């Protein structure tokens, strides 16, 4: 097995693959939220096309040994912080086969290096595994603990990690 992760900024030709991976991602979340499939048997992600029409959104795919292992959907938010625009990890997913092998951390770090600046990562408070992953992943990236801020949005309790990526690459 390779030790290299290939980070790909997804183009419109990758929309079908991303839509399929999003189905698996949303299925995982159906354990935490009351999400049902539609009449077509799919969850759907209506905002996916915006990742190719809105320049403030970036879709990423990850491959290891030529095989898809996950994705991330990133947004550039304004008006969230007094520091100006903030990168937001809107959605993040690694296939179960590749979890607990370091690929999620490698993927997140690769994106943070590619997109320098202020970042926020939000995770539902009841998503214990996700919270532990992000706490460790961010601490490993920043070199220190980053305590999350708790907040409630639309009746759901969330944790928000905020930190800086000073990497030299640019999105």
């Amino acid at each position: 097995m390779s030790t290299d992760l290939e980070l790909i900024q997804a183009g419109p030709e990758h929309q079908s693959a991303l839509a399929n991976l999003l189905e698996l991602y949303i299925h995982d979340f159906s354990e935490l939220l009351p999400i049902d499939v539609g009449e077509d048997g799919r969850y759907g992600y209506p905002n996916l096309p915006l990742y190719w029409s809105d320049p403030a959104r970036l879709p990423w795919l990850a491959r290891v040994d030529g095989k898809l292992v996950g994705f991330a959907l990133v947004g550039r938010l304004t008006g969230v912080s007094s520091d100006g625009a903030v990168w937001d990890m809107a959605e993040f997913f690694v296939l179960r086969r590749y979890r607990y092998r370091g690929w999620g951390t490698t993927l997140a770090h690769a994106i943070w290096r590619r997109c320098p600046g202020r970042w926020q990562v939000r995770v539902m408070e009841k998503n214990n595994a996700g919270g532990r992953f992000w706490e460790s992943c961010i601490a490993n990236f920043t070199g220190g603990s980053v305590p999350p801020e708790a907040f409630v949005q639309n009746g759901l309790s969330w944790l928000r990690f905020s930190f800086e990526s000073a990497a030299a690459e640019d999105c």
Side-chain angles (χ1 to χ4, degrees), residues 81-150:
S81 164
S82 59
D83 298 335
V86 174
W87 289 109
D88 176 62
M89 191 71 77
E91 314 290 357
F92 186 91
F93 177 72
V94 173
L95 289 165
R96 288 182 182 199
R97 176 178 179 202
Y98 297 94
R99 293 180 192 170
Y100 305 103
R101 297 178 179 200
W103 295 120
T105 297
T106 302
L107 172 57
H109 288 192
I111 291 168
W112 296 334
R113 283 191 300 273
R114 287 280 296 269
C115 302
R118 192 94 188 118
W119 272 89
Q120 74 170 14
V121 175
R122 296 164 292 123
V123 61
M124 279 186 290
E125 196 171 81
K126 63 183 170 181
N127 182 355
N128 295 321
R132 285 189 307 272
F133 167 77
W134 287 117
E135 184 173 18
S136 171
C137 183
I138 293 166
N140 182 274
F141 184 77
T142 62
S145 178
V146 176
E149 167 198 355

Side-chain angles (χ1 to χ4, degrees), residues 11 17 21-22 48 53 61 64 66-67 72 91-92 104 107-108 123 135 157 167 170:
L21 290 170
L22 275 158
L48 185 59
S53 63
L61 286 170
V64 173
K67 295 175 178 55
E91 314 290 357
F92 186 91
L107 172 57
V123 61
E135 184 173 18
S157 296
D170 223 353

